[in-house]
Every structure is written in C-alpha cells, then in structure tokens.
C-alpha cells in the first residue's frame, strides 16, 4: 500500500515539476512520509524512476493488447492512433514510459530483437503478416518497427516543444506522416 502511495506521489510530482523537479524529498513530502521511510520501499531515485517508467510501459502495453482489428495494416494504423491518444490523454504516463532516463529502460535494438517489449513484438508480428500477405516489401521487420516508433516519438517531441501552430495541425501532420510511412513499405506499384 505504501509503495503504491509513493508511486502515486511520484507521478504527481513528475506531473507538476517535471523530471528535473522529481526528488526523493518532494516525493516523500507528497506521500506524507519522511525521506528515510521512502528509502525502505525504493533504495534510490533510480529505482523510483524505473518504477515510474515501468508503470507507463505497463499502461502502454495494456492499450496495445486492446487493439482488436485483424488486418495487419489496419492494426498498425490503430497502434499509431493509440500512441497519439496515449501521448495526449495521459501525457505524464507517456513521458514516464518513453522519455524518462530510467536505467532499466529497454535498449534498442537488442532488447527489442529479443522480444523484451510486448508492444514492439506485437507490431513486429503485424509487420511480418503484412509482408507475408505481399502488402509490405521484404524489409527488416525490427527496422520497420523501430522506425514506426521513432516517427511517433519524434512527432510527440516536436509537439511538446511547441513546434506546431496548433494541436489540430500536429494531429493532421502526425497522421499524414504515419500514412506516408506505411505507404512507403508497399511493394513497388502496389496501391491499396
């Protein structure tokens, strides 16, 4: 119960103060604990940051597992839309999952090639299915999955840095770029 209370407090501090303001002292204060009491549950800030990151990743993976369409390309489009929705509706969990410098964060490409990311593994299965169906060229699956993730994360980073005139423009450009990327994977001369 106390560990959950600490994690909730850490999320609140992350939301209000950002990563730079995430300190053991602030989290303990928010959880109504002494810093020493917090250390009984998280031995240091890295362990707390890892827990925040894992909470965000778990939320993301639950969303990905909820995508139900069977068509592999439609599934990838739904994945990209879910990523956008996660970034906009749960920004602090999204940030914890994808932007926190957590020591235990999965590393490209080895952790992903080894299947340590359920979300990437599901995307890779859909990419392989699209390739088997002749809808994508025979390009390296992991490379496609990583590029798809990078497109999304890059756009979200630009949006967070206020590089778009409006949220409407951001969403339109995000969706257009993702469609263009998926279209670029089609075999030459193939239109859907």
């Amino acid at each position: 119960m106390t560990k959950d209370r600490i994690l909730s407090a850490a999320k609140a501090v992350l939301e209000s103060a950002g990563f730079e303001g995430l300190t053991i002292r602030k989290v303990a204060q928010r959880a109504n604990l002494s810093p020493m009491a917090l250390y009984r549950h998280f031995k240091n800030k890295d362990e707390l940051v890892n827990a925040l990151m894992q909470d965000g990743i778990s939320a993301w993976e639950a969303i990905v597992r909820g995508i139900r369409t069977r068509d592999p390309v439609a599934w990838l489009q739904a994945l990209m839309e879910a990523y956008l929705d996660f970034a906009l509706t749960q920004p602090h969990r999204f940030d914890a999952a994808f932007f926190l410098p957590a020591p235990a964060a999965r590393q490209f490409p080895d952790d992903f090639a080894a299947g340590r990311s359920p979300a990437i593994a599901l995307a890779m299965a859909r990419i392989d299915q699209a390739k088997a169906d002749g809808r994508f060229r025979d390009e390296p699956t992991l490379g496609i999955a990583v590029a798809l993730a990078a497109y999304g994360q890059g756009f979200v980073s630009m949006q967070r840095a206020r590089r778009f005139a409006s949220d409407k423009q951001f969403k339109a450009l995000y969706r257009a770029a993702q469609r263009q990327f998926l279209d670029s994977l089609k075999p030459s001369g193939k239109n859907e």
Side-chain angles (χ1 to χ4, degrees), residues 132-165:
D133 293 347
R135 296 172 70 187
F136 285 172
R137 291 187 316 273
D138 189 21
E139 300 286 334
T141 301
L142 180 59
I144 294 170
V146 170
L148 192 61
Y151 259 96
Q153 194 156 337
F155 266 86
V156 171
S157 294
M158 290 171 65
Q159 187 258 357
R160 297 283 168 79
R162 303 177 202 272
R163 299 296 194 241
F164 297 100

Side-chain angles (χ1 to χ4, degrees), residues 22-42:
L22 182 70
T23 66
I24 293 294
R25 185 173 305 283
K26 284 181 184 176
V27 172
Q29 184 179 20
R30 180 77 183 219
N32 294 319
L33 297 169
S34 71
M36 293 313 295
L38 188 144
Y39 283 120
R40 280 185 244 140
H41 300 279
F42 295 95

Side-chain angles (χ1 to χ4, degrees), residues 49-68:
V49 169
N50 285 336
L52 284 168
M53 181 263 312
Q54 189 54 56
D55 175 72
I57 290 291
S58 294
W60 170 238
E61 289 172 352
I63 292 166
V64 173
R65 283 190 300 275
I67 299 172
R68 295 288 177 229

Side-chain angles (χ1 to χ4, degrees), residues 130 134-138 183-192:
R135 296 172 70 187
F136 285 172
R137 291 187 316 273
D138 189 21
D183 286 347
S184 77
L185 298 171
K186 293 177 184 176
S188 296
K190 183 141 184 170
N191 291 320
E192 286 185 49

Side-chain angles (χ1 to χ4, degrees), residues 5-103:
R5 189 169 91 206
I6 293 167
L7 195 56
S8 291
K11 288 180 205 176
V13 171
L14 186 63
E15 183 174 334
S16 64
F19 181 71
E20 296 77 23
L22 182 70
T23 66
I24 293 294
R25 185 173 305 283
K26 284 181 184 176
V27 172
Q29 184 179 20
R30 180 77 183 219
N32 294 319
L33 297 169
S34 71
M36 293 313 295
L38 188 144
Y39 283 120
R40 280 185 244 140
H41 300 279
F42 295 95
K43 70 179 181 180
N44 55 37
K45 184 177 176 182
D46 283 348
E47 198 171 278
L48 181 60
V49 169
N50 285 336
L52 284 168
M53 181 263 312
Q54 189 54 56
D55 175 72
I57 290 291
S58 294
W60 170 238
E61 289 172 352
I63 292 166
V64 173
R65 283 190 300 275
I67 299 172
R68 295 288 177 229
T69 185
R70 291 186 180 269
D71 178 86
V73 176
W75 190 94
L76 292 167
Q77 290 167 332
L79 174 73
M80 296 178 308
E81 194 61 31
Y83 191 83
L84 176 64
D85 184 65
F86 185 48
L88 297 176
T89 62
Q90 298 185 60
H92 301 291
R93 267 185 138 173
F94 178 92
D95 288 354
F98 300 112
F99 290 124
L100 274 185

